[in-house]
Amino acid sequence: MRQILIISNNVLSETDNNGKTLLNIFSKINKQNVAQLYFRGELPEVEGYRYYQLSDIDIIKGKINPQKRGREVKAIPMGGKTKASAKGLIRRTPIALQIRELFWKNSWKSSQLDEWLNDVNPDCVFFLAGDCIYAYDICEWIVEKYNCKLFTYVTDDYVLERKKERVIERFRRKKIYESLKSISTNSDQFFTICNRMKKSYLEEFGVDSELLFNRCQSLYDDKLMPAKEKDEEIVFMYAGSLYYGRGDILICLAEILGEINSSTSARKKGKLYVYTNAIPEDEFINLLEKTGAGYYGGKLNYEQLRTKLNLCDYPVFVESFDDKEVEKVRLSFSTKIPEYMSLRKTILAIGPEEIGSMDCIKNAAVCVYDLSRLREVCERMLEDEYDKQVYAQKAWEEYKKLSELNGLEYYLS
């Protein structure tokens, strides 16, 4: 079996989005054959893999002492505990991100990284491409140094033209575009996340790709689905990030549920529970809970997430309708989608029809493509007017289709 080196921003994780995607992709590959070089400040929690951490703070310290440029780190299991993720060291403004690139340039090499890489001795690199140009440079250097095969995977779009951009944003996007085009052209295998991205990148780069999905294990557990009393609240549940305007849509949903709950005709009350890994702004929590129907529940570990998703009535998926946010996610495929499908429940999906995630979930959920329809849909869900057996089967069939697609192990064989 090949020795595989994962290069990515995020560390392997059971809860954080990109880390969870990576963990699922590598779930059928022997841990002893996998190591990871990652660029964020969090410590790993998944045991059995080898890790090397090289973060922003390491680069800053390394300006004084190269021996501070990263280190091998060990996994520290959470032991069932949960904590909210801290905010990153660098604010994600275009100017700050460009300054970070200058800090990293020619400042990441070290003897300890060389020693760790020599010990790993990779013959295949799996690169999760993002919006950090220095990561492309590091990846290409390692591939050349060890004459590795290169598998490149893209899960979000950072390169297609945006309608409204400042000069520095356009400059950064051009640089990322050049880096991604170069590395996709030189990859032994190029992977994308959904059909929309596959088609767009073939047109942009002239490089065809294979689809690689987050093939998660089914979260369904019939033992966690007790019968509800007639007067019990109906639980809507969202578990995921609040980026890209998703928080605004969740507040809108909570407001509508609150209005329905207050009406004299309401026979059942709906509650929206929101769980997220990162610490939200106080304003979001206040606005959510001000509705009287929304509740912020913090971060969940894997078992807690599985339990609460099985106990809820309606898993919720949302994307923003704001044009600027739509541009960012139009080629994406959310990690939540296969998890939700595996639950055999009626899923509520809210978002514009033309984006990748809504395209992938359209045959497995009650979809709201226009916010003016949201109240009507919520009222029907509270009155149990949707055939749950039908939607459960739809979701399960779509989940099975994803599960039957080739996994990474197929391409490594």
Side-chain angles (χ1 to χ4, degrees), residues 149-347:
K149 284 189 173 296
L150 174 59
F151 290 0
T152 300
Y153 187 32
V154 186
T155 60
D156 287 295
D157 174 57
Y158 303 102
V159 299
L160 296 188
E161 186 178 349
R162 306 306 198 237
K163 291 179 181 177
K164 296 180 180 179
E165 283 187 314
R166 288 174 287 179
V167 173
I168 191 167
E169 291 173 312
R170 196 176 304 115
F171 173 80
R172 267 188 57 77
R173 191 167 305 286
K174 182 181 177 183
K175 292 297 182 182
I176 298 166
Y177 182 101
E178 292 170 353
S179 296
L180 182 56
K181 183 175 182 178
S182 173
I183 212 160
S184 63
T185 302
N186 293 313
S187 294
D188 294 276
Q189 186 63 63
F190 185 43
F191 296 109
T192 46
I193 192 73
C194 67
N195 281 309
R196 285 179 182 265
M197 182 180 285
K198 176 183 172 77
K199 181 180 177 181
S200 293
Y201 283 8
L202 176 59
E203 293 172 355
E204 286 292 327
F205 305 139
V207 179
D208 203 1
S209 59
E210 295 292 336
L211 297 183
L212 192 60
F213 287 105
N214 172 22
R215 299 192 310 161
C216 70
Q217 290 185 342
S218 173
L219 300 183
Y220 176 74
D221 189 340
D222 56 359
K223 301 184 187 67
L224 294 174
M225 295 188 182
K228 280 184 174 287
E229 298 294 333
K230 287 185 178 180
D231 59 346
E232 267 193 279
E233 68 182 22
I234 303 299
V235 176
F236 294 74
M237 177 178 162
Y238 176 83
S241 77
L242 304 178
Y243 303 131
Y244 306 127
R246 293 175 186 132
D248 294 337
I249 305 300
L250 291 169
I251 289 169
C252 179
L253 173 59
E255 286 174 342
I256 287 173
L257 289 175
E259 292 170 5
I260 296 172
N261 292 346
S262 300
S263 66
T264 55
S265 59
R267 292 190 297 161
K268 293 182 181 179
K269 295 186 183 296
K271 303 288 185 181
L272 172 64
Y273 291 84
V274 176
Y275 302 93
T276 183
N277 293 331
I279 301 171
E281 299 292 338
D282 290 339
E283 181 184 7
F284 170 80
I285 298 173
N286 293 336
L287 287 173
L288 181 70
E289 299 188 345
K290 185 180 178 181
T291 65
Y295 300 89
Y296 166 63
K299 179 178 179 179
L300 301 175
N301 64 29
Y302 175 78
E303 285 304 322
Q304 290 170 329
L305 174 67
R306 181 170 168 271
T307 298
K308 288 190 178 293
L309 281 172
N310 276 281
L311 289 174
C312 81
D313 295 282
Y314 298 119
V316 176
F317 174 79
V318 300
E319 290 289 8
S320 174
F321 290 86
D322 181 84
D323 289 343
K324 189 174 181 180
E325 305 299 348
V326 168
E327 286 183 326
K328 298 174 185 175
V329 300
R330 60 187 165 182
L331 302 184
S332 299
F333 177 82
S334 171
T335 59
K336 291 185 290 297
I337 289 176
E339 293 177 340
Y340 282 5
M341 288 175 176
S342 76
L343 293 167
R344 309 187 196 190
K345 289 179 179 287
T346 304
I347 302 165

Side-chain angles (χ1 to χ4, degrees), residues 8-12 16 18-19 22 36 38-40 42 128:
S8 63
N9 285 329
N10 298 91
V11 70
L12 295 167
D16 294 326
N18 277 333
L22 283 171
Q36 184 181 26
Y38 71 99
F39 308 122
R40 291 284 172 83
E42 67 264 27
L128 184 58

